[in-house]
Amino acid sequence: MKLTDFPDSRGHFGPYGGIFVAETLMAALEELRIEYDRARNDPAFMAEFEYELKHYVGRPSPVYHACRLSDAYGGAQIYLKREDLNHTGAHKINNTIGQALLARRMGKKRVIAETGAGQHGVASATVAARYGMECIVYMGAEDVARQAPNVYRMKLLGATVVPVSSGSKTLKDALNEAMRDWVTNVESTFYILGTAAGPHPYPMLVRDFQCVIGRECLQQMPELAGRQPDAVIACVGGGSNAIGIFHPYIPHENVRLIGVEAGGDGIASGRHAAPLSAGSPGVLHGFRSYLMQDENGQIIETHSVSAGLDYPGVGPEHSWLKDAGRAEYVPINDDEALAAFHDLCRYEGIIPALESSHAVAQAKKLAPTLKKDQIILVNLSGRGDKDINTVAKLSGITL
Amino acid sequence: MSRIGPTFAALKAQNKKALIPFITAGDPGRGMTVPLMHALVEAGVDLIELGVPFSDPMADGPVIQRASERALANKVGLKDVLAMVAEFRKSNDATPVVLMGYANPVERMGYAQFAAAAKAAGVDGVLTVDIPPEESTGVADVFKAAGLDPIFLLSPTTPESRVAQVAQAAGGFVYYVSLKGVTGSASLDTDEVSRKVAMVRHHCGLPVGVGFGIRDAASAEAVARIADAVVVGSRIVNEIETAPEGEAVNRVKMLVQDLRRGVDAASR
């Protein structure tokens, strides 16, 4: 089997992925698997998905040659895939449109979602408004506090935001609560999972909906730069923007694929969210993958300046690509990400999301080691408007 | 050999139904679990489900989540739970003990290593909530080879076509979760449960336990009329949570004696 043929029919990427959920959800996941299989082979469904991406999201998103940033970093040419220019300001909408169309096809009028930074919550609330569905978003109480503008956006869009106060009060706990809601309301409710993780078929279908990013790049790079990049860099929390840009490049063996995890205060500090760099395989949230865990198999609290990367697991396909040696995964610390955030603001007039700033920071490290005619493609997965309060606070400024 | 099969056989011979309580190991304190287990036996239970604390109990409602958090605050891990069972076994060699928890602590220890350690400690069965039969290839066999019964859940959403498949992998008994939702959810519809249990029996020769939504002697009696075993979790954990300092053992004992009267009333 080729790397791109995974997952297998039961959702496994080698030892990773699978369906590790309580019995109550098994039938719902099977129903979703069957319906998604029909949908992706239905030209009418795919045509509507593409129509929405073009006319509602504003795709294709451009690829942009960041000349001044490239000069400043002193090496390879840096190109940015501008997912920040999508409607709602991030790549998340690609997936929520796909899943909302599936929900409608399955006759579900109530959708639920979990969110960390609030980007997936906003993207879910947006599509729920667009298709006339009830929307409940679960969000860790700590994230509700640090992402207040996104909480208000979701409310404006008609969604109900439920703060989750259990555990570490962040994304993983929001995911637990969304799963609990789904177990309870399984017949009426569609769970719009926000990243390429969770039980099969989610890692596969989220990847498929996000692959539009990489497919566009495959076409855009030769047009703009005359060839494909030498390296593709993307940040990895759950890993949906990364798998979306990586996956179409997997067969292009000369293209390095580099995933960037949240190094937080540094791997040595233990305060980070980098399971691929410093974790070990385990089972959480319905799938097997690398995890942040202690010697008793309890999940460890994570830390990142970026709420969207603050997650102790990672999508199973990334674990698989790591073990297969097809992709590399590296940590970027909070301070490095912040420096890159400011670089992009000042050199290019683009305020990036703190998540995406991790990818830019890795480009900053890699570029000087490459020649001037080499190319790095960075997935700029989201814009940073949501993060200005966080950045201001870290700079000692009150807005 | 597990103690579960003989226990159910003995009950059947006496025309009795099993009462199965659930408590979380390490809640409310490290030293409380073994005394609570003995108190449960004194109050008349037939089998004990012992919860292994986990940081992310996805299938549990707030009551059992909080119990898990209290146990983790007491630094109770899987190895400690096994030590508690071994301690319990020093003075009780009869009552079956089933560990109930999530995959990751077991995965971290290693399935074969866990199975051997659990058997040595005196565990009889294992229910890993988030390992359905589809993912248990190898795991269930490892448990069975070690003499542990792999317990599986069935739910109102389980299609009839799947029941036989689950029964194939299962040992000891099957656990029918009588409601959709997490542990500790609202009340149950006994007519619906009765129909489902009849369907399960058609495909599965193992005893059928029913849990979720059982709160008192009356609901225990209603379920005992239908099932081979009545499983009570959140109601007992709630009693432990709300008991005044030092009163947990007595409160649990009184509650369980009442549940026992309910279960036995069904056999009269």
Side-chain angles (χ1 to χ4, degrees), chain A residues 45-68:
Chain A
F45 178 87
M46 294 313 292
E48 184 171 14
F49 179 54
E50 277 157 31
Y51 182 93
E52 295 290 276
L53 289 182
K54 181 175 178 189
H55 296 281
Y56 188 65
V57 177
R59 302 203 72 92
S61 67
V63 170
Y64 166 72
H65 183 192
C67 300
R68 295 193 67 229

Side-chain angles (χ1 to χ4, degrees), chain A residues 282-302:
Chain A
V283 173
L284 178 69
H285 292 152
F287 63 106
R288 183 181 285 120
S289 196
Y290 280 84
L291 290 180
M292 304 264 300
Q293 57 180 323
D294 68 14
E295 70 281 2
N296 288 317
Q298 307 296 346
I299 306 309
I300 301 176
E301 286 195 20
T302 52

Side-chain angles (χ1 to χ4, degrees), chain A residues 127 215 248:
Chain A
V127 297
R215 279 200 306 273

Side-chain angles (χ1 to χ4, degrees), chain A residues 181-205:
Chain A
D181 179 315
W182 200 29
V183 168
T184 309
N185 302 295
V186 62
E187 272 142 13
S188 68
T189 298
F190 189 100
Y191 180 15
I192 302 185
L193 214 152
T195 191
H200 181 63
Y202 282 106
M204 177 178 75
L205 70 86

Side-chain angles (χ1 to χ4, degrees), chain A residues 95-105 127-128 131 133 190 192:
Chain A
N95 169 47
T96 58
I97 286 190
Q99 291 198 44
L101 290 175
L102 267 179
R104 200 184 61 187
R105 196 183 158 95
V127 297
Y131 301 113
M133 296 164 174
F190 189 100
I192 302 185

Side-chain angles (χ1 to χ4, degrees), chain A residues 10 12 17-27 166-167 172-173 175-177 179-180 183-184 186-187 280-286 288 291 293-299, chain B residues 53-61 65 69 72 76-78 103-105 107-108 111 129-135 137 153-155 157-159 162 166 177 179-182:
Chain A
R10 286 164 57 226
H12 293 114
I19 307 181
F20 291 88
V21 297
E23 178 61 27
T24 314
L25 289 180
M26 291 302 289
S166 58
K172 80 173 177 73
D173 309 287
L175 219 155
N176 289 335
E177 208 55 39
M179 286 276 190
R180 290 180 188 120
V183 168
T184 309
V186 62
E187 272 142 13
S280 55
V283 173
L284 178 69
H285 292 152
R288 183 181 285 120
L291 290 180
Q293 57 180 323
D294 68 14
E295 70 281 2
N296 288 317
Q298 307 296 346
I299 306 309
Chain B
F54 183 51
S55 51
D56 293 79
M58 261 169 31
D60 285 300
Q65 283 177 52
E69 285 179 13
L72 289 174
V76 172
L78 181 53
N104 202 52
E107 172 128 344
R108 179 74 188 197
Y111 291 97
V129 176
D130 53 349
I131 306 187
E134 284 81 348
E135 296 291 351
T137 322
L153 299 170
L154 294 168
S155 88
T157 58
T158 305
R162 221 177 113 73
V166 175
V177 171
L179 293 166
K180 292 187 289 289
V182 293

Side-chain angles (χ1 to χ4, degrees), chain B residues 205-217:
Chain B
L206 293 171
V208 181
V210 170
F212 279 34
I214 299 157
R215 305 175 174 279
D216 50 24

